[in-house]
Amino acid sequence: MTQSKVMVAQGGGPTAVINQSLVGAILESRKFRGVERVYGAFHGVRGIVNEDFLDLTQETTHNLEMVGETPSSALGSTRDKPDLAYCQEIFRVLKAHGVGYFFYVGGNDSSDTVRIVAEEAIKADYDLACIHIPKTIDNDLVVNDHTPGFPSAARFVAQAFMGVNLDNWALPGVYVGVVMGRHSGFLTAASALGKKFTDDGPNLIYLPERDFDVDRFCREVKEVYDRQGRCVVAVSEGIHDGSGNPIITSLAKQVEHDEHGNVQLSGTGALADLLVQVIKDKTGIKRVRGDTLGYLQRSFVGCVSDVDQREAREVGEKAVQYAMWGAKTGSVTIHRTGFYSVDYQLSDLNAVAGKTRVMPDDFIADTNNDITDAFRLYLRPLLGRGMPDAYRLRSSNFVERILHKDRPWTKG
Amino acid sequence: MTQSKVMVAQGGGPTAVINQSLVGAILESRKFRGVERVYGAFHGVRGIVNEDFLDLTQETTHNLEMVGETPSSALGSTRDKPDLAYCQEIFRVLKAHGVGYFFYVGGNDSSDTVRIVAEEAIKADYDLACIHIPKTIDNDLVVNDHTPGFPSAARFVAQAFMGVNLDNWALPGVYVGVVMGRHSGFLTAASALGKKFTDDGPNLIYLPERDFDVDRFCREVKEVYDRQGRCVVAVSEGIHDGSGNPIITSLAKQVEHDEHGNVQLSGTGALADLLVQVIKDKTGIKRVRGDTLGYLQRSFVGCVSDVDQREAREVGEKAVQYAMWGAKTGSVTIHRTGFYSVDYQLSDLNAVAGKTRVMPDDFIADTNNDITDAFRLYLRPLLGRGMPDAYRLRSSNFVERILHKDRPWTKG
């Protein structure tokens, strides 16, 4: 049997543009004469070991284009993190089906899987190209300038905070929004991109790259609130104290919240609720509200960056090109050129696999509760065309009071 | 002093299009020669009694157009519900400033304020037109076919569930999304408008118009999960048991969640978290996730229905027309004509004020956990142009297994 088949799969958390990468890989593969079939595995590596394959050679180009514009993994995904034995089983199945090209769209765990499968193929002297196609809303892949999926999630977060800031202006108080990102603060930092005026929220941004101190947090919230009568806060779900303990754990005790092991501490609204409670307790501010942005961040339909879509398509296409022109293994990486354009490279899997990128220091303000203009300059072009903008009534033309001449202005 | 001034204000929860109504009222007022000034009060009725006014006659038309497209109340809002004495103070201020036309954009509480102020003017034999301009994401104003603000919030909820359904398909489990709406289920019901295939979520929808039973709920979730390996649920924040007690209260006890009066039970993620916990406890399903859509529903920037924008503008414009052509009091109401168009009327404030509209029975399925096609037909035209659509890979072309010929298909 010749190795003339292509296998493509998607792993990890879905993104708004992960199907662009899938479609890029499928359509590009179908252009090459040597490719007999393009297979897609359902639910990532688990679908491979289960032999749950769809023949994508028979899918229409038109439907593929529509699927490309649809968020979340169209082949399904998996949280499985294969060990050596699992990767050997993947290789066994790929070999049995005469697969010569394996493309896996995913984050750093997925890139590690690709790396091990590639090693198995070399050991077995089997001709298999194994290419990792990057995606993650966390933007935590090293080597890359940024990662497909992040720009669209960032745009959602920026637009969400643009809206809650306006809402908080209309009905003042404290608002806490919890954003995804356990180790890397890129997505939380994106909340700042909807700011226009100096008093716009988020007024405070707390990232997992810095230690979080509950007392300082409450003090800083109160400072902003006392100054401008309201305060919008963006908090990463991954905030932790100086010893690395998640804040959600210590807070759960601090507000005397008895959980009996019943209350799930992640993937829920618990952190936002606890932060709201601690602000109320420690500052005496009454109107304090919390939201957890949750799954909407990575799968909302209708809030996508066109730059992200294009790049996600291109990394899928480039992966196939690299493989077809002879590359045996690697990870497609994105590199910024000019302001703004990108170029792609095939990087060594060992440089990417299993590593986590965090926000560089120059993206984080010295106060540890805000981002810098360097980060704004980095993120803005990724958000793409048609970013909405918020407008205010100009508040210069106050009307002279008649009945209460001595009362100070309460707004302006 | 002649009554040649216009006063406009915004009350209650902000919406994505409430500024269209404001701008409609301002621009239309400025067309009439008899109008000397157009004033806007900051933070609704509170701004009136405080005499915090902006002279909107001096605002540029261009900036007003941009503000019109910006979500949330540009003049600020208030939760104050004026009693008689408060309304008398409003009237005293309006009279002192020679206001002849009072326009208040708000929900049913606001319409009641307008009604009382109008009565005060009549008692004092003061020539004051008092017109209520409707808005509310809850869609709970009687007389109206629907209310400005609801269509855009409905579109956000529909798009949000379209996305989480795709996410849940990729990584199967149970997903519970809690939607705003304490007494009326319209917004929660809107979650169904992103469904395309029969197995698409939300598979179950729980509305405050029906009593909620925790055991039946868990049974129904398990049924769907057992049938299709996943389940997406939309729940109104206002669900209650047969005695009218909010479910959040009874659940908080049921999952042995000690709150010491510390845990806020509304405006937080608590209900979603409690429902997730009770599903885990009672069904044994492992991957159960909950989100509370929160403030994003009413203020998200960049997810607006063009139909909603247009109608919100028109009710503002019509309010001024009614007043200028002689109406003394009333509420602008929206009436559906054809499929799809609307007409406006000036209705008696007594017919609107202080009443709450809920979902009619023919919009709710007999199972009490879904909506009907009658509701789909009602809501679809309100969502406007450019609704996104979700596409799937066609799953008919399975690849024959080689290593595991006897294993059943796990997906398809």
Side-chain angles (χ1 to χ4, degrees):
Chain A
M1 184 186 272
T2 60
Q3 292 100 305
S4 55
K5 296 204 186 77
V6 164
M7 175 69 69
V8 58
Q10 299 170 303
T15 80
V17 298
I18 191 170
N19 291 332
Q20 290 286 3
S21 299
L22 173 69
V23 170
I26 297 169
L27 290 180
E28 189 66 9
S29 294
R30 295 191 339 186
K31 288 183 191 159
F32 284 85
R33 265 170 212 220
V35 172
E36 184 198 333
R37 283 283 187 277
V38 180
Y39 287 173
F42 280 118
H43 296 286
V45 285
R46 189 143 47 93
I48 298 181
V49 297
N50 284 343
E51 284 188 278
D52 292 334
F53 306 149
L54 204 56
D55 182 359
L56 297 167
T57 331
Q58 301 177 54
E59 182 58 273
T60 68
T61 308
H62 189 78
N63 197 50
L64 286 174
E65 289 293 351
M66 303 312 281
V67 167
E69 292 186 7
T70 303
S72 188
S73 319
L75 281 171
S77 192
T78 178
R79 288 293 185 191
D80 284 4
K81 293 177 188 175
D83 55 11
L84 180 61
Y86 198 124
C87 287
Q88 286 170 337
E89 184 61 19
I90 292 171
F91 173 64
R92 194 169 79 96
V93 175
L94 294 179
K95 193 177 163 190
H97 282 268
V99 171
Y101 309 92
F102 171 41
F103 302 104
Y104 199 31
V105 193
N108 38 31
D109 287 331
S110 304
S111 67
D112 206 41
T113 300
V114 174
R115 185 184 63 77
I116 302 173
V117 172
E119 284 173 4
E120 288 303 304
I122 290 166
K123 272 196 251 166
D125 200 20
Y126 178 88
D127 200 17
L128 179 68
C130 294
I131 312 285
H132 168 242
I133 301 172
K135 77 86 212 165
T136 162
I137 64 163
D138 294 330
N139 203 36
D140 62 353
L141 285 181
V142 295
V143 183
N144 294 272
D145 175 75
H146 60 278
T147 324
F150 166 66
S152 294
R155 182 164 172 158
F156 179 87
V157 170
Q159 291 185 205
F161 274 86
M162 193 187 288
V164 295
N165 171 64
L166 294 165
D167 200 290
N168 180 267
W169 186 90
L171 289 171
V174 174
Y175 176 90
V176 178
V178 172
V179 183
M180 278 183 173
R182 207 158 279 265
H183 303 293
S184 298
F186 289 102
L187 198 55
T188 305
S191 61
L193 270 280
K195 288 185 72 160
K196 183 166 173 173
F197 297 101
T198 49
D199 64 317
D200 275 337
N203 309 101
L204 299 166
I205 300 172
Y206 297 95
L207 307 165
E209 281 80 358
R210 296 289 182 262
D211 296 338
F212 185 89
D213 179 83
V214 173
D215 291 323
R216 198 185 61 217
F217 165 72
C218 289
R219 218 164 43 236
E220 290 170 344
V221 167
K222 189 160 187 324
E223 242 170 59
V224 173
Y225 183 85
D226 288 345
R227 191 171 65 240
Q228 61 182 44
R230 66 189 195 91
C231 181
V232 175
V233 189
V235 174
S236 164
E237 65 179 8
I239 49 166
H240 54 79
D241 64 21
S243 318
N245 301 316
I247 292 302
I248 190 165
T249 316
S250 53
L251 265 187
K253 286 171 201 151
Q254 201 165 341
V255 298
E256 297 179 45
H257 189 279
D258 183 353
E259 74 247 35
H260 291 305
N262 280 324
V263 180
Q264 190 188 341
L265 293 182
S266 62
T268 77
L271 178 58
D273 288 358
L274 289 168
L275 289 171
V276 163
Q277 193 55 47
V278 79
I279 293 170
K280 284 182 177 177
D281 288 351
K282 300 206 174 190
T283 69
I285 300 169
K286 282 197 180 110
R287 189 172 189 272
V288 186
R289 300 286 183 268
D291 277 337
T292 304
L293 273 61
Y295 289 94
L296 274 52
Q297 296 165 86
R298 71 182 190 196
S299 61
F300 192 79
V301 179
C303 181
V304 176
S305 155
D306 60 325
V307 170
D308 195 19
Q309 281 191 307
R310 188 179 65 228
E311 291 175 359
R313 173 69 79 101
E314 285 186 293
V315 290
E317 188 177 334
K318 287 304 294 179
V320 173
Q321 290 184 3
Y322 288 127
M324 295 302 163
W325 301 118
K328 282 298 144 219
T329 181
S331 177
V332 180
T333 50
I334 302 185
H335 305 270
R336 187 181 298 227
T337 59
F339 185 81
Y340 167 85
S341 181
V342 291
D343 210 346
Y344 303 99
Q345 291 176 21
L346 190 67
S347 296
D348 191 334
L349 275 167
N350 287 299
V352 176
K355 294 186 176 64
T356 300
R357 178 190 181 202
V358 296
M359 294 260 287
D361 286 344
D362 69 320
F363 283 180
I364 305 174
D366 292 338
T367 54
N368 291 340
N369 61 21
D370 202 357
I371 54 95
T372 62
D373 284 344
F375 178 72
R376 276 193 186 83
L377 198 67
Y378 164 79
L379 181 53
R380 185 57 192 83
L382 307 185
L383 302 180
R385 275 183 301 198
M387 264 295 284
D389 195 1
Y391 288 80
R392 293 183 180 183
L393 293 169
R394 294 193 181 92
S395 54
S396 44
N397 304 305
F398 289 111
V399 175
E400 207 181 327
R401 288 212 180 96
I402 294 175
L403 298 176
H404 308 285
K405 284 188 193 296
D406 304 329
R407 196 177 285 178
W409 282 106
T410 52
K411 191 86 190 186
Chain B
M1 186 188 270
T2 60
Q3 291 99 308
S4 55
K5 296 203 185 78
V6 165
M7 176 68 70
V8 59
Q10 299 170 304
T15 80
V17 299
I18 191 170
N19 290 332
Q20 290 287 1
S21 299
L22 174 69
V23 170
I26 297 168
L27 292 180
E28 189 66 7
S29 294
R30 296 193 337 187
K31 287 182 192 160
F32 285 84
R33 263 173 214 218
V35 172
E36 185 199 331
R37 283 282 187 277
V38 181
Y39 287 173
F42 281 118
H43 296 286
V45 286
R46 189 143 48 93
I48 298 181
V49 298
N50 285 342
E51 286 188 277
D52 291 334
F53 306 149
L54 204 56
D55 182 359
L56 296 167
T57 330
Q58 301 178 55
E59 182 58 273
T60 68
T61 307
H62 189 79
N63 197 50
L64 286 173
E65 289 294 352
M66 303 312 282
V67 167
E69 292 186 10
T70 304
S72 188
S73 318
L75 281 171
S77 192
T78 178
R79 287 293 185 190
D80 284 5
K81 293 177 187 175
D83 55 11
L84 180 62
Y86 198 123
C87 288
Q88 286 169 335
E89 185 60 19
I90 292 172
F91 173 63
R92 194 169 79 94
V93 174
L94 294 179
K95 192 177 163 190
H97 283 266
V99 170
Y101 309 92
F102 172 41
F103 302 104
Y104 199 29
V105 193
N108 38 29
D109 288 330
S110 304
S111 69
D112 206 41
T113 299
V114 174
R115 186 184 63 75
I116 303 172
V117 173
E119 283 174 6
E120 288 303 304
I122 291 166
K123 272 196 251 169
D125 199 21
Y126 178 89
D127 200 17
L128 179 68
C130 294
I131 312 286
H132 168 241
I133 301 171
K135 77 86 212 163
T136 161
I137 64 164
D138 294 330
N139 204 36
D140 62 353
L141 285 181
V142 296
V143 184
N144 294 272
D145 175 76
H146 61 278
T147 323
F150 166 65
S152 295
R155 182 163 172 157
F156 179 86
V157 169
Q159 291 185 206
F161 273 86
M162 192 186 289
V164 295
N165 170 65
L166 293 165
D167 199 291
N168 182 266
W169 186 90
L171 288 171
V174 173
Y175 176 89
V176 178
V178 172
V179 182
M180 278 185 173
R182 206 157 282 264
H183 304 292
S184 297
F186 289 102
L187 198 55
T188 305
S191 61
L193 269 282
K195 288 184 72 158
K196 182 165 174 174
F197 298 101
T198 49
D199 66 317
D200 274 336
N203 309 101
L204 299 166
I205 300 172
Y206 297 96
L207 307 164
E209 281 81 358
R210 296 290 182 263
D211 296 338
F212 185 89
D213 180 84
V214 173
D215 291 323
R216 198 185 62 219
F217 166 72
C218 289
R219 218 164 44 235
E220 289 171 345
V221 167
K222 188 161 190 319
E223 243 170 60
V224 174
Y225 183 85
D226 287 347
R227 190 171 65 242
Q228 60 182 45
R230 66 189 195 92
C231 181
V232 175
V233 189
V235 175
S236 164
E237 63 178 10
I239 51 166
H240 53 79
D241 65 21
S243 316
N245 301 316
I247 292 302
I248 190 167
T249 316
S250 54
L251 264 188
K253 287 169 200 150
Q254 202 166 341
V255 299
E256 297 180 45
H257 189 280
D258 184 352
E259 75 247 34
H260 290 305
N262 281 326
V263 180
Q264 191 188 340
L265 293 182
S266 62
T268 77
L271 179 58
D273 288 356
L274 288 167
L275 289 171
V276 162
Q277 193 55 48
V278 78
I279 292 170
K280 284 182 177 177
D281 287 351
K282 298 205 174 190
T283 69
I285 300 169
K286 285 203 177 106
R287 188 173 189 272
V288 186
R289 299 286 185 268
D291 277 337
T292 304
L293 273 59
Y295 290 93
L296 274 51
Q297 296 165 86
R298 71 183 190 197
S299 60
F300 191 80
V301 179
C303 181
V304 177
S305 155
D306 60 324
V307 170
D308 195 19
Q309 281 192 307
R310 189 177 65 228
E311 292 176 357
R313 174 68 79 102
E314 284 185 296
V315 291
E317 188 177 334
K318 286 305 293 180
V320 173
Q321 290 183 3
Y322 288 127
M324 296 300 163
W325 302 117
K328 282 299 145 218
T329 182
S331 176
V332 181
T333 51
I334 302 184
H335 305 269
R336 186 180 300 228
T337 60
F339 186 81
Y340 167 85
S341 182
V342 291
D343 211 346
Y344 303 100
Q345 291 175 21
L346 189 68
S347 296
D348 191 334
L349 275 167
N350 288 298
V352 176
K355 294 186 175 64
T356 300
R357 179 191 180 201
V358 297
M359 294 261 287
D361 285 344
D362 69 319
F363 283 0
I364 305 174
D366 293 338
T367 54
N368 291 338
N369 61 24
D370 202 357
I371 55 95
T372 63
D373 284 344
F375 178 73
R376 275 193 185 83
L377 199 66
Y378 164 79
L379 181 53
R380 185 59 192 84
L382 307 185
L383 301 181
R385 275 182 301 196
M387 265 295 283
D389 194 1
Y391 288 80
R392 293 183 181 183
L393 292 169
R394 295 194 181 91
S395 55
S396 44
N397 304 305
F398 288 111
V399 175
E400 207 181 329
R401 289 211 179 95
I402 294 175
L403 297 176
H404 308 286
K405 285 188 193 296
D406 305 328
R407 194 176 286 179
W409 282 106
T410 50
K411 192 86 190 185

